[in-house]
Amino acid sequence: MEVEYSKDAEMEKLLEDLKNSNIKKEDWEFHDNYKPVYSTGNGLNRKVVEEISDIKKEPDWMRRFRLKALEIFESKPVPTWGPDLSGIDWENTNYYNRPDDVNSTKWEDVPDEIKDTFNKLGVPEMEQKYLAGSVAQYDSEGVYHSLKKVWEDKGVVFMDLDSALREHPDLVKDYFCKAVPATDNKFAALNGAVWSGGSFLYVPKGVQIDMPLQTYFRMNGEATGQFEHTIVVADEGSKVHYIEGCTAPRYDRNSLHSAIVEIYAKKNAHARYTSVQNWSKSVYNMPTKRAWVDENAKMEWVGGSLGSKVTMLYPSSYLRGPYATTHNLNVSLAGPGTVKDTGAKALHLAPHTSSRIIAKSISIEDGKAIYRGLLRMNKGAEHSKSHVQCDALLINDNSTSFTYPHDEIYEPTATFGHEATVGRIGTDELTYLRSRGLSEDEASSMIVLGFLDDVMKEIPMEFAVEMNRLIKLEMGKLGAVG
Amino acid sequence: MPELKIKDLRASVEDKEILKGVNLTVRGGEMHALMGPNGAGKSTLGNVLIGHPNYKITGGSIVLDGINLTDKTPEERARAGLFLAFQSPVAVVGVKLSTFLRTAYRQTHPEDKVTLTEFYDRMKVHMKKVGLDESFMSRSVNDGFSGGERKRFEILQMVMLRPKIIVLDEIDSGLDVDALKLVADEIRDYYSDDVGFLIITHYQRILKNIEPQFVHVLKDGKIAVDGDNNLSLRIEEEGYDWIKN
């Protein structure tokens, strides 16, 4: 009998947790007054790119790569097929901010003010509790990285990409911009030209890491850009879970975040990538994320997109070998005045490949949530299958959501399916719940947990807490007597 | 014995006055019917009583057992023992029926430390009585329910939450003859000296099964006539035209 109701008991516990949680936005929207030791100033040109390369004392091939990428960036127009990007101030953005010359493997060596910031965000605490390794980036540069010795001994490499380029140049060169070339899109080209920081994670053949590794990205300056480049290589038969968290203070002037994430899941490998994005409402978030998935390998994308002014993000999986699989879970929250243009791409390039995409979006007030997806099944991707599920929740009487799936099916034996649901919570729905004795708090917690029910185990609790906070705020407005 | 006192109640929607001074008292052990032509303000009264934010009270008072509910939130009214069965209950996607009812019960009866298992067992008994399959427990509130299923669920909530004063807004609409009988049986079962009913209806149909002692006719935002069940019979034969304000 108790087993029968165990899920309900669990739900009740979660509801209590959620009701009692009170993380406030201010907890991460603060900024410190740390002044960068070096900055290229505003604007972007050849000289700025050469300067960045000089400071980093990079090999010549990287310098040439950057300059080529800059040409591509300049030749490509700002995309107009999606959200309005006219708020990006290309000329007055600062493309490189170096916080300090220190990049340490000990927190003690990190400058006090920066260390305090990461302490407030709980980064060292997380590392101690449940991480196998940790990298911390502040504006343009990594300031800290560590990896537990047991994994280092097994040949795992985990550090910021700049350090990796110095210490493992050949390994980096093998993977750098192979999955995401600079020609891919304007923002990828920009990253190619001015990239700085990001993580490099290499897991050797057969090594299975049972604890996650995490990078925390913190943008502190106003009107700055953060252009990290992350590469995760899960070599044959290995297993790894990599997590990213990102926050920034809120400013009046817009900042730009344009990252590249490349993941290589080799034969029989299992790679999982989780990111929780909580940029402030002054950030344009335009990353390009892509995975190459080889024979019988498994790629899992788990994304929580909470913050930012505009986000355009479509993590892609190229299923290159037979029996390769990808799972893509993305939960997006479009708060008032923000746009989330998110989705996923799955390209089936080999037989018996499979993809499963779950996209959940919540729109609040005039927040706009858009699902944009691409599913391609090449001729020869025999017996491949795909399933796409889009769930939208509208919190308000007038909010809207959009779904733009795009399918290109060239293989007759392939099968695919789409499912879509839309739910609305407006004044009537809220009043109904309250008319039975539920407080606004309880109503919002139930709605959040109900909507995330099937993915709750996959996403960090922090996500549900923040979503609940935003929805509660909105419910306060809906419940007010007009 | 509970007592709901509605005194000179005035309310408007989007600045249009709909209720123009309603006076009505419902006590425990009483069964009232509120009838009236379309647009008389019947459903407005239900929504105003439960505190729907789109309806603005502009005068008068709602008092339950001496507690003034006029400015209270919907949840405070529910916790005081007032219950409205909605005419068109809305779907709340993602909110599981069982969890919803359990949470509502804990809010309306904080003193009762019933366990999860006991509560759900009790719920299953009543689901059977109102004619809802157990599988509804894990469904979202009203999501994909037929009109009749929504009404049965309203009645299930009534018997589970055990309110003192119950307002049923067009509970008979969308129900076939058998379902209507089932719902009427549940209402009569629940009826006692400790609960009072206000049954809002356009037709006399459900009143045949329930037989209220008091019948009121709402016309143009005011109670125009009071009477007993004979009044509802006359309305069935002659309509509302003979009633003058």
Side-chain angles (χ1 to χ4, degrees):
Chain A
M1 197 51 109
E2 289 303 332
V3 175
E4 187 188 343
Y5 296 134
S6 64
K7 197 153 186 297
D8 290 276
E10 199 181 302
M11 184 79 171
E12 231 167 63
K13 164 103 184 26
L14 274 173
L15 270 175
E16 282 306 307
D17 288 354
L18 205 52
K19 263 166 64 189
N20 298 331
S21 64
N22 54 354
I23 293 183
K24 291 186 194 69
K25 191 83 177 172
E26 298 78 59
D27 292 352
W28 61 80
E29 281 208 335
F30 66 91
H31 67 91
D32 55 52
N33 296 313
Y34 199 81
K35 294 277 175 292
V37 295
Y38 186 83
S39 161
T40 52
N42 290 346
L44 181 60
N45 53 47
R46 233 185 126 84
K47 210 177 136 265
V48 169
V49 172
E50 282 175 338
E51 222 176 311
I52 294 172
S53 195
D54 280 350
I55 295 163
K56 293 175 178 289
K57 302 189 183 68
E58 286 173 348
D60 192 50
W61 70 266
M62 183 59 82
R63 180 193 187 86
R64 278 184 280 121
F65 179 90
R66 285 183 185 273
L67 291 168
K68 180 74 196 149
L70 178 67
E71 280 173 26
I72 297 166
F73 166 72
E74 285 169 343
S75 71
K76 280 186 187 288
V78 178
T80 51
W81 46 265
D84 178 14
L85 301 177
S86 61
I88 300 175
D89 190 347
W90 301 99
E91 256 125 67
N92 292 310
T93 291
N94 186 327
Y95 291 85
Y96 181 78
N97 255 344
R98 189 183 186 81
D100 201 285
D101 290 326
V102 176
N103 184 349
S104 178
T105 53
K106 293 195 196 83
W107 279 111
E108 298 95 86
D109 299 339
V110 176
D112 283 346
E113 209 159 348
I114 296 180
K115 194 169 63 194
D116 282 354
T117 292
F118 282 112
N119 270 332
K120 273 193 214 169
L121 297 166
V123 175
E125 194 192 332
M126 281 187 279
E127 178 189 326
Q128 246 180 6
K129 273 190 189 158
Y130 68 94
L131 297 175
S134 166
V135 168
Q137 176 163 346
Y138 187 93
D139 284 341
S140 299
E141 294 285 348
V143 292
Y144 170 84
H145 63 92
S146 81
L147 176 66
K148 286 211 163 74
K149 195 169 177 304
V150 48
W151 302 114
E152 207 180 311
D153 289 347
K154 289 195 165 136
V156 175
V157 177
F158 186 46
M159 57 184 66
D160 59 281
L161 187 61
D162 294 276
S163 300
L165 186 58
R166 281 190 298 273
E167 293 177 30
H168 307 275
D170 295 337
L171 198 53
V172 171
K173 200 176 175 184
D174 281 349
Y175 296 100
F176 185 84
C177 283
K178 291 291 185 294
V180 183
T183 47
D184 193 79
N185 66 75
K186 188 174 179 76
F187 292 92
L190 175 62
N191 183 285
V194 299
W195 76 267
S196 184
S199 296
F200 182 80
L201 170 59
Y202 175 79
V203 187
K205 278 183 192 173
V207 175
Q208 307 213 334
I209 310 182
D210 50 7
M211 291 168 101
L213 297 111
Q214 178 184 269
T215 302
Y216 201 98
F217 297 97
R218 177 72 178 171
M219 223 193 300
N220 191 62
E222 181 168 11
T224 51
Q226 195 171 52
F227 307 99
E228 84 272 10
H229 191 134
T230 289
I231 297 171
V232 176
V233 183
D235 215 331
E236 292 182 11
S238 69
K239 187 176 176 185
V240 66
H241 182 189
Y242 172 74
I243 302 175
E244 283 183 353
C246 1
T247 60
R250 183 162 183 182
Y251 288 115
D252 294 335
R253 290 164 65 202
N254 295 327
S255 292
L256 177 60
H257 174 250
S258 178
I260 287 182
V261 175
E262 299 181 88
I263 296 177
Y264 301 89
K266 302 280 187 94
K267 190 175 173 181
N268 298 328
H270 182 176
R272 184 179 169 97
Y273 169 95
T274 301
S275 68
V276 176
Q277 174 270 106
N278 211 339
W279 297 119
S280 57
K281 264 200 206 172
S282 48
V283 174
Y284 281 84
N285 182 38
M286 319 292 294
T288 306
K289 301 186 183 184
R290 190 166 302 161
W292 277 3
V293 192
D294 291 346
E295 183 178 346
N296 203 37
K298 186 174 183 183
M299 175 66 212
E300 287 177 275
W301 295 99
V302 179
S305 199
L306 287 165
S308 82
K309 179 189 182 92
V310 173
T311 288
M312 290 174 80
L313 172 60
Y314 325 96
S316 321
S317 292
Y318 285 55
L319 305 170
R320 297 158 26 111
Y323 298 97
T325 64
T326 183
H327 283 206
N328 192 321
L329 167 65
N330 186 47
V331 187
S332 279
L333 186 135
T338 70
V339 181
K340 290 281 152 55
D341 196 307
T342 57
K345 297 181 192 174
L347 291 89
H348 295 252
L349 314 173
H352 301 284
T353 50
S354 70
S355 60
R356 177 163 177 78
I357 294 164
I358 301 177
K360 286 178 175 270
S361 73
I362 302 104
S363 325
I364 296 182
E365 238 171 66
D366 60 342
K368 204 168 166 185
I370 296 153
Y371 173 80
R372 205 183 291 274
L374 170 71
L375 171 64
R376 182 190 294 160
M377 294 193 157
N378 274 10
K379 181 94 186 93
E382 291 155 7
H383 307 291
S384 290
K385 52 186 188 213
S386 175
H387 192 265
V388 181
Q389 178 192 333
C390 299
D391 298 324
L393 181 65
L394 311 173
I395 310 285
N396 196 294
D397 295 333
N398 333 299
S399 54
T400 49
S401 84
F402 304 87
T403 306
Y404 303 117
H406 183 79
D407 301 322
E408 298 176 13
I409 313 295
Y410 305 109
E411 170 54 49
T413 63
T415 53
F416 70 105
H418 282 281
E419 257 181 272
T421 65
V422 182
R424 182 186 296 279
I425 305 292
T427 309
D428 285 339
E429 289 76 11
L430 184 59
T431 303
Y432 185 80
L433 297 180
R434 294 173 71 195
S435 76
R436 302 307 185 231
L438 272 63
S439 61
E440 278 183 13
D441 262 21
E442 273 168 330
S444 73
S445 308
M446 283 189 120
I447 288 160
V448 169
L449 287 178
F451 185 67
L452 297 179
D453 188 39
D454 54 337
V455 298
M456 203 60 201
K457 283 196 180 72
E458 313 286 325
I459 56 173
M461 186 64 182
E462 172 200 348
F463 188 88
V465 169
E466 169 61 3
M467 195 172 132
N468 189 45
R469 189 189 68 85
L470 291 170
I471 291 177
K472 267 198 305 211
L473 271 178
E474 189 60 18
M475 297 229 154
K477 294 181 208 162
L478 283 177
V481 178
Chain B
M1 200 174 68
E3 181 190 67
L4 175 73
K5 260 188 129 91
I6 304 167
K7 249 180 97 180
D8 196 30
L9 189 64
R10 293 165 183 275
S12 57
V13 184
E14 288 167 356
D15 292 331
K16 187 169 182 276
E17 189 171 56
I18 309 284
L19 299 183
K20 301 169 181 171
V22 175
N23 290 289
L24 194 64
T25 300
V26 180
R27 295 186 184 86
E30 293 179 357
M31 189 83 81
H32 293 253
L34 182 77
M35 304 184 72
N38 285 329
K42 300 193 298 291
S43 283
T44 297
L45 181 63
N47 279 305
V48 168
L49 287 177
I50 205 63
H52 193 297
N54 289 357
Y55 298 78
K56 197 172 177 182
I57 296 177
T58 52
S61 62
I62 304 163
V63 177
L64 178 59
D65 293 343
I67 304 166
N68 190 341
L69 298 181
T70 319
D71 298 321
K72 297 278 198 254
T73 63
E75 58 268 34
E76 287 167 324
R77 295 171 193 222
R79 290 171 201 166
L82 187 64
F83 181 90
L84 169 70
F86 286 83
Q87 181 178 356
S88 313
V90 290
V92 191
V93 176
V95 173
K96 202 171 151 191
L97 189 147
S98 57
T99 317
F100 165 59
L101 207 46
R102 163 92 171 147
T103 312
Y105 185 77
R106 281 171 28 142
Q107 280 295 357
T108 47
H109 297 276
E111 74 294 342
D112 187 354
K113 301 291 175 218
V114 60
T115 67
L116 196 76
T117 309
E118 285 164 355
F119 183 79
Y120 286 158
D121 285 349
R122 199 190 291 170
M123 192 163 146
K124 284 176 181 173
V125 171
H126 285 291
M127 287 180 88
K128 199 166 182 173
K129 284 172 81 181
V130 301
L132 281 178
D133 191 82
E134 273 180 27
S135 62
F136 277 77
M137 285 177 80
S138 51
R139 289 177 62 174
S140 289
V141 168
N142 290 323
D143 189 28
F145 290 21
S146 69
E149 284 162 351
R150 287 180 193 218
K151 293 302 173 78
R152 290 168 200 248
F153 179 46
E154 295 294 287
I155 295 299
L156 176 69
Q157 293 177 63
M158 176 189 83
V159 294
M160 290 301 292
L161 300 178
R162 301 203 307 262
K164 294 188 268 189
I165 298 290
I166 295 135
V167 183
L168 304 174
D169 189 3
E170 307 278 359
I171 194 72
D172 46 337
S173 71
L175 290 181
D176 60 30
V177 182
D178 293 336
L180 186 67
K181 191 181 167 302
L182 213 97
V183 164
D185 286 349
E186 276 298 296
I187 293 170
R188 268 200 311 269
D189 261 13
Y190 184 63
Y191 179 50
S192 76
D193 280 352
D194 300 322
V195 288
F197 277 92
L198 176 63
I199 298 164
I200 298 174
T201 181
H202 185 73
Y203 301 105
Q204 200 262 345
R205 200 165 71 125
I206 191 171
L207 305 181
K208 278 185 188 150
N209 291 301
I210 295 179
E211 301 202 2
Q213 303 110 307
F214 307 95
V215 175
H216 317 273
V217 176
L218 189 70
K219 210 179 169 191
D220 194 25
K222 278 183 171 173
I223 304 276
V225 192
D226 299 290
D228 57 16
N229 208 16
N230 288 323
L231 178 58
S232 73
L233 296 173
R234 182 168 173 197
I235 287 166
E236 181 164 69
E237 280 171 21
E238 300 178 32
Y240 292 103
D241 288 345
W242 59 275
I243 299 166
K244 301 262 186 303
N245 270 334

